[in-house]
Each structure stands twice: as structure tokens, then as C-alpha cells.
């Protein structure tokens, strides 16, 4: 017995002195060794000397890894993963000499016992990811960190709204929602925090989502070549590991976990005009009239803070807008939807209904001593709603419902980082946290997410119409509720480039409905810079012009007649392409894969697509490549065309892929290419979505040996699509010897769009003798003018090698060209 006690004391002393030498800070400790374990239905629990570890089997390729230095895990629910569904994957669990092994059909997880460290392999036992050496999981007082081995060829993508290049290797980033107007080109952090990234090594990819809302850090190999790490100031080390190996499948799985966007109203894909500020009502009406008189399409006008009574949200300044409902009705009749800005700050005014109600119902955040917190923002001192409390979400939703009944079609939620003058929202302020009570350090990053949720819930509760929500700040999962723009940017070339790279990085982070303020919010662009920005804006999912107060006008007609004409043309092109964009939004809703994509997403195994130069072009969907000129001074573009053949839709020139090319690009043009096999649905120009019934859809088609395309339609307005009222038509094209066959049939048909005809514009057709449609010969037109007089006919432009076919949009179409 004496020997056992002596040995035990010696072991304790050795551990103590070893710890003193390795851990000079008393709060620093590793996770420890595994001393016990227990298997449950979908998880394994390990007891460690310094912590507790749970590994959850979410799917065959997804595991959740959760560490805490406490004796139990925190039971507060996640703000991002609200309804975690597991597929209950089959798995095996066994103890080995050095630790434990968990196997699914796709993943092998090896857990070393002493010290605890995790390595992840694919089913062929190829290493995907592993903890770094003996460090792995580390606690430093409240801080938590996870160290991972850094491989020489490893690249990192995602992390949300970040400046710089798409590859985040060698940089460190902070997740802390921050209001920074006119941010520099390499500044961090910004408005949106997305603690999710994708690692790529040997062209195989994995994803990690760190579900921790405290201020967090992602060091992707900055200042060292041994490891990368991520961690947070507090909370648990709780992350989801997602194995691809395809990048698109990782994004799909991530958005399946965190939520996917709902289909927006179709008009939200049109052009939107904003300014700080359009007032009074006569100015707003004149703006709308000018758009219509000049025949420049536009769907949305924004009202910035001056529409309110003393910056009190949910109110109108009756001096500027004496009859808001009448104005909204008049604008609606001319096709305009009005979206007001809504800030979270509630003016601390005892005569203000929102302040009274919030105080009476205990809906605002408080200091620890029980006093309501007040921060200074636009209305001066203001209370802040506690959006982590269900009663506040319901109350806010009711106020949103009141505004909807007045005729407003959407909401622009701003200052929701949350931002206050001085940028020092006190960390000690307390929130309900779904009944668990938490301070601002935990809630800061999800405040905007919860505000967007409250706003979205209000739109759904009081209307079956889709409303548009735009937010400046957010967290993982924000895509469920809102579109996001890149904040208060600047009218310069650095930010023109960021208008390309930032939305691409956000798309890799699960955010599909994204874009920048065209022309720059702060500053005065030249006409050339404005036009180049309009060009990339027209191909961005979110397309809005905006400007700061006290500056020269930035409306499409503000830069002279030549620029106005060119801007009209590019906005017209956007409206022509709305069927294609809407279809890609539908695909994004279904898959989570973004509308606007870097080349590396579509061409993961092409090394050229990872080069920094490739950051400045992108794909819309699968087959449309866009290469904007991101300079007001240059009239050329160096771009990469991946494998296959590509047609320049500006001039019909065809290029072979797998090569870099340099093109001359006059100021009034933007290069965009359709890949061989691609379909591009288009429609006639409208001054606003729904102006007139669309009777014909035109499909540009660049035939390959064999390809197909699914085309989605619904009413574009309501949530009836979620009740099955939509249609999906599949188009199939095949080249077969001297024949070209095009078939179309419904995959699902519970919605009639009213389209009467399809016009096929087919490129690269060498010869033609006859065409049959459903075995009936089709009439040939001698000229384009004659062709346009028939509902069913074809015209062959032999010199351009373009074939035009117009047919009725019947349920089944079988075209044979020979």
C-alpha cells in the first residue's frame, strides 16, 4: 500500500513539473489522455484527463467533434443549426492498441489515446486531415483552440466576407462582426462572420464548420509552416468535419446543416436603386418617372434613414412623406417595389410606441444590474431589442407585418453588427439566449442573424408573398433569411476587384444571394469606373446601385449620354437573362451551391483555376463564364477558359478550352461565354418584372455530343412553390452523325407560366437540309423578318452558322435537324 501511494505521488509530481515547463501560463492545458469511453446510438463519448470529447456520426461523410473542459456539455441550442437531422449512418467502433477507430462507408476516424488526437481518412485510408502532433485541442483559461497539421500543398477557401484573394492560406482572420466604412482592400474583420472553410489538398476537399459564436480566429498557416489553427475566446470546441471530396458536395452538406435560402421574389433579381437618401416623396416619384421615361429597367427603390420620423423605426416622417400608403400604391402601379432601411436601435423616447412597448414587455437587452442598455446611434440614445428572446422575435415580426400592410415589399436591415457610436457595445450587456442568459461576447456575432430571423418570420406570418430582405451583418445560416451585400465600399479600383472576389468567397461559404454596391457607396466614380462596375453588377446575384449622402449623383443617367446608353444596355441584358438567373437561384435553393462561382468550384481538378489570376472571373451556374474588366483604364482582359469549347456571346467566336487568352474589350463590353453543351434561357426586356406576360423563352444553345438542362418556373411571387405549384421541364440535345436532336418534356408540371413559344438559337451549325417537329416538317423562312412572323418556323444563317427554330411550347417537343 505504501509503495502504491509513493508511486502515485511521484507520477503526480512528474506531471506537475512537466506541466510547469511546458505550460508557463497556469490556465494553459492540453485536452489530455483518454481514460474512459462509452458508445451510444450515434455518438461515442470519451472521458479525458482534462476534458470531455464527443464524436457524433451525422452522416457517412460528416462527423461532429465536440470538446469541453467542463464536466458536461453546454445545453444551450445552436443559433445556426436549429434542427439537426442525422441520417443515422451505420458505423463500426473498435478499440486498438493506440486508441480507437470509427468507420462509416465514407470516413475512417482514428482517435489516439495518449495524447488524444484525431486523424480522418477516406475509405481508401488516404489521410484527409489530422490534429497537429501532440497539440490537437488546447485550452487557455476560457480560450479554446484546435491545431491541425498544415500540408505543403494545402489551400483554404471560404470564411465568408473577407477581403484579399480567394485562397486564404498564409493569413489570419477574425470572426467579429464589425462596422468599418470605406474599409481598405485587406482589412479584417468586416460585417459578416462565417466560421466555415474548405481545405483542398491534391484536389480533394474537406470542410470544417466551427459552431462557436464567440469572437473566433482562423490562422491558416500565418507566420508558421507547421500547423493551422482555429479557436475562440470562450465556449466549446465544437466543429463539424465534412468530407467531399467534391467542393460542391461540401457546400451542399454545409448548407444542409445550416439552412438554405428560400426562393426570393423574382423581381429581387432585377435592378435596384438606392441612395442615402431619396426624400421627400416628390423626389422618389420623380426618380421612378425618370427610370420609366428613359426606359432603363428597375424594380426597386430604397428609402434610407431620412424617411423616418426622427430615425424612429416603424415610423414615417410626415413632412417628407405625408401619405406613404398612397405613394407606395402609385409606385406599385408603375412597377416599383419600395424597401426601407430598418435599424435595430429603438429611440429611447417615452412618447414613442415602440420604446414603450419594448420596456413594458421586457424586450430590450439589459446591464447585469437590471438597467436597460442604451447605445447612441442615429436617433441618439436607443434601446436594443433582445432577438435571442422568442417574445422579441414575435413582437418585431408584428411590426414588420404592420409595414407590409402599408404596402412595403421588403426590408433592408442595417447597423445590426450591432453598431453604436464609438463601436464599443458593452460586453457585459446581457441577453436572454433562449433562456440560458449570455453576455454580449456570445451574442454579438449572431445578433444580425437573429434580427434577420425575426424580420423573415414577420414576412411569412403576415403574408404568403415573398418579400426581400437584405442585411449588412450576419453569421453562418444567414442565407436562410436574407441576402447580403458587402457593406460600405469605396468608389475605386480596389473595391471594383473586391466586387468580384468577395461575393465569390461568400458563395464558397454558403451565401448565394450576394453582391456589392455598384459604383461604390463612398466616393465619386468616373463614368468609366461606374460602367465597369455596372457590368459586373449585372452578372452578380444581387444588383444594386447605392451612394452616400452629400456626393454627386450615381444614377444610371448621371454620367452623360454615352455611359447612360451603355448602362441601359447592360441592365437590359440582365433583364433578358432573368430566366437563367432565376433558374440558377432555384438550383441553389435545392443544392446550396452558389449562383456565382469561382472557376475552381466547377473545375476542381484544373490547376489553372486555383491561380490568383483566376479569382477575377467566374461562372454563373454550370456553363456561363463571365470575365469582367476590373479596371477603368484597361480595355483588355486576360482570362482562362477551362476544358471544352466556348463561344464568346458578344461576337460568336469559338475558342478551345484549357488555355489562357487575352481579349480586347472595349469599354462598352463585358466578355461572357457559353460552354459547349450549355443552354441559356432568355426573355424579352421588361421595364420591371411582371410588366407584361412573357410569351416566348429563347434558348441559346451551343450543342455538344450530348447535354441536358432543366428549366424551372413558378409564379415568382408567392410561396406556393413550397406547396408543389411549379414546373420543371427538361431539355435534351444530342449530336448524332449528321443529325441534331432536341427533345423537351416536363419532369414535373403543376404550374402554367403562360409561355406560348420556345425560340432556339443554336450555334455552330454547319449544314442543314430539313427540320421536323414531332415528325412534322417545319417551315423554313428565307429571312429573319419572315421568321419573326411565324409561331413555328426556322431560319438558318449559313454565314454565321446560327440556326433559329421557333416552336410551340407543347408538353412534349421532339426536334430533328438534318
Amino acid at each position: 500500500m505504501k509503495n502504491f501511494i509513493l508511486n502515485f505521488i511521484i507520477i503526480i509530481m512528474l506531471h506537475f513539473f512537466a506541466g510547469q515547463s511546458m505550460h508557463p501560463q497556469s490556465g494553459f492545458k492540453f485536452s489530455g489522455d483518454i481514460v474512459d469511453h462509452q458508445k451510444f446510438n450515434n455518438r461515442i463519448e470519451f472521458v479525458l484527463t482534462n476534458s470531455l470529447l464527443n464524436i457524433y456520426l451525422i452522416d457517412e461523410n460528416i462527423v461532429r467533434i465536440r470538446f469541453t473542459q467542463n464536466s458536461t456539455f453546454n445545453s444551450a441550442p445552436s443559433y445556426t443549426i436549429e434542427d439537426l437531422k442525422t441520417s443515422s449512418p451505420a458505423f463500426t467502433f473498435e478499440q486498438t492498441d493506440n486508441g480507437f477507430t470509427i468507420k462509416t462507408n465514407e470516413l475512417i476516424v482514428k482517435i489516439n489515446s495518449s495524447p488524444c488526437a484525431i486523424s480522418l481518412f477516406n475509405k481508401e485510408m488516404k489521410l484527409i486531415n489530422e490534429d497537429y502532433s501532440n497539440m490537437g485541442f488546447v485550452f487557455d483559461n476560457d480560450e479554446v483552440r484546435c491545431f491541425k497539421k498544415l500540408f505543403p500543398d494545402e489551400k483554404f477557401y471560404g470564411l465568408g466576407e473577407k477581403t484579399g484573394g480567394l485562397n486564404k492560406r498564409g493569413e489570419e482572420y477574425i470572426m467579429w462582426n464589425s462596422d468599418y466604412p470605406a474599409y481598405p482592400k485587406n482589412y479584417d474583420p468586416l460585417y459578416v462572420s462565417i466560421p466555415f472553410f474548405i481545405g483542398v489538398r491534391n484536389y480533394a476537399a474537406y470542410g470544417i464548420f466551427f459552431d462557436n459564436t464567440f469572437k473566433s480566429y482562423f490562422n491558416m498557416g500565418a507566420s508558421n509552416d507547421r500547423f493551422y489553427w482555429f479557436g475562440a475566446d470562450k465556449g466549446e470546441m465544437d466543429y463539424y468535419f465534412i468530407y467531399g471530396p467534391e467542393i460542391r458536395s461540401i457546400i451542399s452538406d454545409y448548407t444542409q446543416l445550416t439552412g438554405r435560402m428560400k426562393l426570393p421574389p423574382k423581381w429581387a433579381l432585377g435592378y435596384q436603386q438606392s441612395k442615402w437618401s431619396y426624400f421627400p416623396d416628390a423626389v422618389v416619384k420623380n426618380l421612378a418617372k425618370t427610370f420609366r421615361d428613359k426606359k432603363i429597367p428597375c424594380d426597386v427603390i430604397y428609402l434610407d434613414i431620412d424617411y423616418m420620423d426622427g430615425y424612429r423605426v416603424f415610423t414615417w416622417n410626415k413632412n417628407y412623406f405625408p401619405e406613404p400608403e398612397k405613394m407606395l400604391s402609385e409606385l406599385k402601379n408603375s412597377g416599383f417595389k419600395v424597401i426601407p432601411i430598418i435599424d435595430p436601435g429603438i429611440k429611447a423616447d417615452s412618447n414613442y410606441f415602440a420604446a414603450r412597448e419594448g420596456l413594458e414587455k421586457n424586450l430590450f437587452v439589459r446591464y447585469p444590474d437590471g438597467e436597460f442598455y442604451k447605445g447612441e446611434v442615429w436617433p441618439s440614445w436607443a434601446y436594443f431589442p433582445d432577438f435571442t428572446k422568442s417574445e422579441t422575435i414575435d413582437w418585431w415580426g408584428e411590426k414588420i407585418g404592420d409595414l407590409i400592410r402599408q404596402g412595403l415589399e421588403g426590408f433592408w436591415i442595417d447597423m445590426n453588427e450591432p453598431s453604436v457610436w464609438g463601436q464599443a457595445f458593452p460586453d457585459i450587456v446581457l441577453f436572454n439566449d433562449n433562456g440560458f442568459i449570455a453576455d454580449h461576447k456570445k451574442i454579438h456575432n449572431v445578433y444580425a442573424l437573429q434580427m434577420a430571423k425575426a424580420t423573415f418570420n414577420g414576412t411569412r406570418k403576415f403574408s404568403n408573398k415573398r418579400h426581400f430582405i437584405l442585411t449588412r451583418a450576419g453569421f453562418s445560416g444567414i442565407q436562410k433569411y436574407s441576402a447580403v451585400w458587402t457593406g460600405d465600399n469605396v468608389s475605386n479600383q480596389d473595391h471594383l476587384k473586391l466586387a468580384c472576389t468577395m461575393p465569390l468567397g461568400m458563395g464558397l461559404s454558403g451565401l448565394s444571394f450576394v453582391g456589392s454596391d455598384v459604383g461604390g457607396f463612398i466616393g465619386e466614380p468616373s463614368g468609366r469606373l461606374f460602367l465597369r462596375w455596372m457590368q459586373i453588377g449585372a452578372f452578380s446575384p444581387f444588383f444594386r446601385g447605392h451612394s452616400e449622402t452629400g456626393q454627386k449623383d450615381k444614377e444610371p443617367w448621371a454620367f452623360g449620354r454615352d455611359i447612360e446608353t451603355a448602362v441601359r444596355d447592360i441592365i437590359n441584358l440582365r433583364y433578358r437573362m432573368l430566366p437563367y438567373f432565376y433558374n440558377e437561384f432555384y438550383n441553389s435553393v435545392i443544392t446550396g451551391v452558389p449562383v456565382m462561382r469561382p472557376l475552381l468550384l466547377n473545375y476542381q481538378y484544373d490547376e489553372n483555376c486555383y491561380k490568383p489570376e483566376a479569382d477575377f472571373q467566374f461562372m454563373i451556374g454550370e456553363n456561363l463564364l463571365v470575365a469582367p474588366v476590373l479596371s477603368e483604364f484597361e480595355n483588355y482582359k486576360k482570362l482562362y477558359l477551362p476544358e471544352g469549347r466556348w463561344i464568346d456571346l458578344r461576337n460568336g467566336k469559338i475558342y478551345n478550352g484549357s488555355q489562357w487568352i487575352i481579349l480586347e474589350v472595349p469599354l462598352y463590353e463585358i466578355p461572357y461565354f457559353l460552354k459547349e453543351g450549355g443552354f441559356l434561357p432568355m426573355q424579352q426586356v421588361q421595364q420591371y418584372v411582371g410588366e407584361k406576360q412573357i410569351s416566348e423563352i429563347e434558348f441559346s444553345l451551343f450543342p455538344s455530343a450530348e447535354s441536358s438542362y432543366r428549366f424551372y418556373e413558378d409564379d415568382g411571387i408567392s410561396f406556393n412553390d413550397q406547396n408543389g405549384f411549379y414546373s420543371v421541364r427538361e431539355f435534351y440535345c444530342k449530336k448524332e452523325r449528321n443529325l441534331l436532336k432536341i427533345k423537351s418534356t416536363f419532369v414535373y408540371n403543376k404550374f402554367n407560366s403562360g409561355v406560348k413559344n420556345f425560340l432556339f438559337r443554336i450555334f455552330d451549325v454547319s449544314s442543314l437540309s430539313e427540320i421536323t417537329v414531332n415528325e412534322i416538317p417545319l417551315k423554313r423562312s428565307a429571312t429573319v423578318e419572315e421568321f419573326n412572323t411565324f409561331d413555328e418556323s426556322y431560319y438558318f444563317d449559313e454565314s454565321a452558322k446560327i440556326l433559329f427554330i421557333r416552336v410551340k411550347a407543347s408538353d412534349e417537343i421532339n426536334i430533328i435537324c438534318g
Side-chain angles (χ1 to χ4, degrees):
M1 184 65 179
K2 289 180 180 178
N3 288 336
F4 173 79
I5 294 174
L6 180 60
N7 288 336
F8 179 77
I9 292 172
I10 292 172
I11 290 171
I12 292 297
M13 291 177 68
L14 287 172
H15 274 282
F16 175 78
F17 286 115
Q20 289 294 305
S21 62
M22 292 177 63
H23 313 147
Q25 299 179 25
S26 59
F28 187 92
K29 60 184 179 182
F30 296 119
S31 55
D33 300 339
I34 296 176
V35 297
D36 197 6
H37 70 276
Q38 186 174 359
K39 179 183 177 183
F40 297 88
N41 286 336
N42 72 325
R43 67 182 173 94
I44 312 295
E45 182 165 290
F46 298 93
V47 178
L48 282 68
T49 51
N50 293 324
S51 59
L52 190 64
L53 163 65
N54 270 3
I55 298 180
Y56 303 77
L57 285 301
I58 306 300
D59 209 332
E60 291 183 338
N61 66 316
I62 305 174
V63 293
R64 180 187 182 190
I65 297 172
R66 192 178 185 191
F67 272 91
T68 180
Q69 57 183 324
N70 299 320
S71 58
T72 60
F73 288 101
N74 191 325
S75 56
S78 168
Y79 281 98
T80 295
I81 301 178
E82 297 179 290
D83 185 20
L84 179 59
K85 293 183 175 65
T86 69
S87 64
S88 300
F91 71 95
T92 61
F93 175 69
E94 62 178 1
Q95 188 166 4
T96 64
D97 291 341
N98 299 323
F100 305 86
T101 300
I102 303 169
K103 290 184 180 181
T104 72
N105 289 333
E106 296 293 332
L107 271 181
I108 299 171
V109 184
K110 288 187 172 292
I111 306 100
N112 192 67
S113 291
S114 181
C116 179
I118 297 174
S119 301
L120 298 111
F121 302 80
N122 66 12
K123 59 186 178 183
E124 287 84 23
M125 274 303 293
K126 291 183 179 179
L127 180 64
I128 308 166
N129 180 266
E130 66 178 343
D131 293 346
Y132 179 72
S133 187
N134 294 327
M135 294 172 69
F137 299 92
V138 173
F139 305 98
D140 188 354
N141 293 313
D142 286 339
E143 294 181 21
V144 294
R145 292 188 184 186
C146 177
F147 290 83
K148 295 286 189 180
K149 183 175 180 179
L150 181 65
F151 294 93
D153 62 338
E154 200 160 15
K155 303 175 181 69
F156 301 104
Y157 299 91
L159 294 176
E161 186 186 56
K162 299 298 179 185
T163 58
L166 293 182
N167 184 2
K168 305 305 182 187
R169 169 112 183 203
E171 303 291 339
E172 181 168 302
Y173 298 93
I174 298 172
M175 299 297 165
W176 187 253
N177 292 355
S178 302
D179 174 10
Y180 196 108
Y183 50 90
K185 64 179 181 179
N186 291 313
Y187 184 79
D188 182 67
L190 290 174
Y191 310 93
V192 180
S193 297
I194 308 292
F196 165 72
F197 67 89
I198 297 168
V200 181
R201 185 165 64 91
N202 296 327
Y203 302 112
Y206 65 89
I208 289 180
F209 167 51
F210 181 31
D211 192 7
N212 184 311
T213 67
F214 287 90
K215 190 175 188 178
S216 58
Y217 310 85
F218 289 77
N219 182 307
M220 315 313 292
S223 304
N224 89 94
D225 60 356
R226 297 172 62 192
F227 52 77
Y228 73 89
W229 66 268
F230 55 92
D233 284 348
K234 199 174 181 180
E236 296 175 351
M237 175 50 63
D238 185 0
Y239 73 89
Y240 292 78
F241 182 91
I242 307 169
Y243 177 55
E246 302 296 325
I247 295 173
R248 66 176 60 221
S249 70
I250 293 168
I251 298 171
S252 186
D253 286 336
Y254 166 75
T255 54
Q256 187 67 40
L257 286 170
T258 61
R260 292 180 182 153
M261 72 170 176
K262 309 296 187 296
L263 261 176
K266 189 180 288 186
W267 53 258
L269 277 60
Y271 179 64
Q272 308 185 25
Q273 185 64 53
S274 183
K275 180 182 180 179
W276 176 19
S277 283
Y278 291 124
F279 70 94
D281 55 359
V283 169
V284 178
K285 293 177 184 179
N286 184 63
L287 176 72
K289 183 177 184 300
T290 304
F291 270 104
R292 297 295 177 250
D293 289 348
K294 290 180 174 291
K295 296 194 178 301
I296 300 175
C298 183
D299 266 272
V300 177
I301 294 174
Y302 284 80
L303 300 180
D304 212 316
I305 55 176
D306 298 290
Y307 81 92
M308 292 180 276
D309 176 16
Y311 307 123
R312 297 169 178 86
V313 293
F314 313 124
T315 70
W316 292 88
N317 184 321
K318 290 304 179 73
N319 292 323
Y320 296 152
F321 299 93
E323 297 179 288
E325 293 184 35
K326 180 182 177 183
M327 179 194 72
L328 295 174
S329 178
E330 292 173 358
L331 291 169
K332 183 178 181 179
N333 289 338
S334 58
F336 285 96
K337 280 65 66 174
V338 176
I339 296 178
I341 195 168
I342 304 283
D343 293 344
I346 305 291
K347 184 175 176 63
D349 176 359
S350 59
N351 295 317
Y352 172 30
F353 67 91
R356 289 199 310 272
E357 292 175 15
L359 293 172
E360 291 167 1
K361 298 178 180 181
N362 191 26
L363 304 178
F364 301 145
V365 298
R366 295 175 179 265
Y367 285 108
D369 64 3
E371 183 177 332
F372 288 105
Y373 167 69
K374 289 185 290 186
E376 194 172 12
V377 278
W378 294 114
S380 188
W381 295 102
Y383 302 112
F384 282 76
D386 184 354
F387 292 114
T388 70
K389 189 175 186 178
S390 60
E391 293 86 349
T392 306
I393 287 180
D394 292 342
W395 172 79
W396 185 269
E398 291 171 3
K399 301 307 173 192
I400 293 296
D402 292 340
L403 295 177
I404 289 173
R405 283 184 282 269
Q406 293 176 24
L408 292 165
E409 301 279 358
F411 303 95
W412 168 23
I413 53 179
D414 196 27
M415 299 289 288
N416 52 349
E417 289 74 26
S419 182
V420 292
W421 302 158
Q423 301 296 335
F425 200 107
D427 285 344
I428 61 172
V429 168
L430 297 180
F431 294 75
N432 180 267
D433 190 23
N434 295 304
F436 289 86
I437 310 301
D439 61 27
H440 182 67
K441 287 178 282 190
K442 178 183 179 182
I443 304 303
H444 175 88
N445 278 339
V446 293
Y447 191 82
L449 175 70
Q450 290 299 104
M451 182 183 180
K453 177 180 179 179
T455 306
F456 177 82
N457 287 357
T459 66
R460 288 294 285 119
K461 183 176 181 179
F462 295 97
S463 173
N464 188 45
K465 286 177 61 178
R466 303 178 204 169
H467 291 77
F468 178 64
I469 301 171
L470 177 67
T471 184
R472 187 170 73 179
F475 191 74
S476 289
I478 190 64
Q479 68 273 2
K480 291 179 286 192
Y481 309 122
S482 179
V484 181
W485 95 104
T486 59
D488 295 344
N489 59 357
V490 183
S491 302
N492 62 36
Q493 287 195 158
D494 287 339
H495 278 260
L496 176 61
K497 291 180 179 179
L498 290 175
C500 182
T501 56
M502 288 178 70
L504 291 177
M506 294 163 80
L508 289 171
S509 309
L511 281 66
S512 200
F513 205 167
V514 292
S516 69
D517 282 339
V518 170
F521 174 64
I522 297 169
E524 298 178 350
S526 67
R528 294 178 63 92
L529 180 64
F530 181 77
L531 178 54
R532 288 301 192 194
W533 215 315
M534 269 285 177
Q535 290 167 352
I536 187 174
F539 284 93
S540 301
F542 176 60
F543 186 21
R544 179 180 81 157
H546 188 37
S547 64
E548 191 181 26
T549 187
Q551 297 181 338
K552 293 179 181 179
D553 291 342
K554 294 182 190 174
E555 288 73 30
W557 50 84
F559 298 90
R561 183 174 298 177
D562 290 346
I563 298 297
E564 177 185 328
T565 299
V567 168
R568 180 187 295 107
D569 289 345
I570 195 65
I571 296 178
N572 280 345
L573 179 60
R574 170 66 169 228
Y575 276 75
R576 287 259 293 140
M577 294 179 64
L578 281 180
Y580 183 73
F581 272 92
Y582 193 65
N583 206 61
E584 292 309 318
F585 267 80
Y586 166 73
N587 289 334
S588 186
V589 167
I590 298 302
T591 66
V593 179
V595 173
M596 181 179 178
R597 311 170 183 176
L599 267 61
L600 62 89
L601 197 158
N602 283 18
Y603 300 95
Q604 183 171 334
Y605 301 96
D606 187 335
E607 182 61 32
N608 284 287
C609 297
Y610 294 87
K611 292 183 177 180
E613 301 96 317
D615 289 0
F616 302 108
Q617 58 186 92
F618 54 89
M619 303 294 300
I620 298 294
E622 295 296 326
N623 294 310
L624 187 67
L625 186 150
V626 184
V629 175
L630 300 175
S631 168
E632 64 176 309
F633 304 113
E634 297 173 359
N635 287 322
Y636 64 89
K637 178 72 178 185
K638 180 182 178 182
L639 63 102
Y640 181 71
L641 295 173
E643 54 84 18
R645 293 203 306 158
W646 301 82
I647 186 166
D648 187 336
L649 292 175
R650 299 176 301 159
N651 52 34
K653 186 174 181 180
I654 294 173
Y655 296 86
N656 290 322
S658 300
Q659 66 166 327
W660 289 89
I661 61 174
I662 297 176
L663 297 180
E664 184 178 353
V665 185
L667 176 63
Y668 303 108
E669 295 182 4
I670 177 172
Y672 62 113
F673 300 79
L674 185 64
K675 187 178 182 181
E676 188 175 35
F679 289 73
L680 178 62
M682 304 177 78
Q683 66 183 30
Q684 66 186 109
V685 173
Q686 299 186 93
Q687 294 307 298
Y688 58 91
V689 172
E691 179 192 17
K692 46 198 169 188
Q693 171 64 45
I694 298 298
S695 60
E696 181 172 274
I697 297 293
E698 174 187 325
F699 289 89
S700 291
L701 170 59
F702 184 19
S704 62
E706 190 172 8
S707 65
S708 63
Y709 180 78
R710 288 197 171 188
F711 182 58
Y712 173 88
E713 291 181 291
D714 64 17
D715 64 21
I717 299 171
S718 73
F719 283 99
N720 290 340
D721 62 300
Q722 297 185 14
N723 296 319
F725 294 100
Y726 61 89
S727 69
V728 179
R729 183 189 283 266
E730 183 164 46
F731 292 87
Y732 172 79
C733 180
K734 184 177 183 180
K735 278 183 177 180
E736 192 175 83
R737 293 187 292 276
N738 295 325
L739 298 179
L740 177 65
K741 297 180 179 180
I742 302 172
K743 295 182 180 181
S744 173
T745 187
F746 280 107
V747 176
Y748 182 89
N749 186 17
K750 286 194 176 182
F751 174 76
N752 183 356
S753 67
V755 170
K756 304 297 184 185
N757 296 94
F758 292 138
L759 169 61
F760 296 94
R761 182 174 180 235
I762 307 170
F763 299 103
D764 196 32
V765 178
S766 298
S767 61
L768 182 70
S769 58
E770 66 173 356
I771 295 177
T772 62
V773 179
N774 297 336
E775 300 183 346
I776 299 173
L778 187 65
K779 175 181 174 60
R780 180 168 185 164
S781 296
T783 65
V784 172
E785 291 75 19
E786 181 186 0
F787 172 74
N788 287 330
T789 64
F790 294 104
D791 286 339
E792 291 194 293
S793 179
Y794 75 92
Y795 169 73
F796 182 36
D797 185 337
E798 296 184 49
S799 61
K801 301 174 69 173
I802 300 176
L803 173 62
F804 298 88
I805 303 174
R806 179 177 286 116
V807 297
K808 291 181 180 178
S810 53
D811 288 356
E812 292 194 17
I813 303 169
N814 191 345
I815 302 172
I816 299 178
C817 309

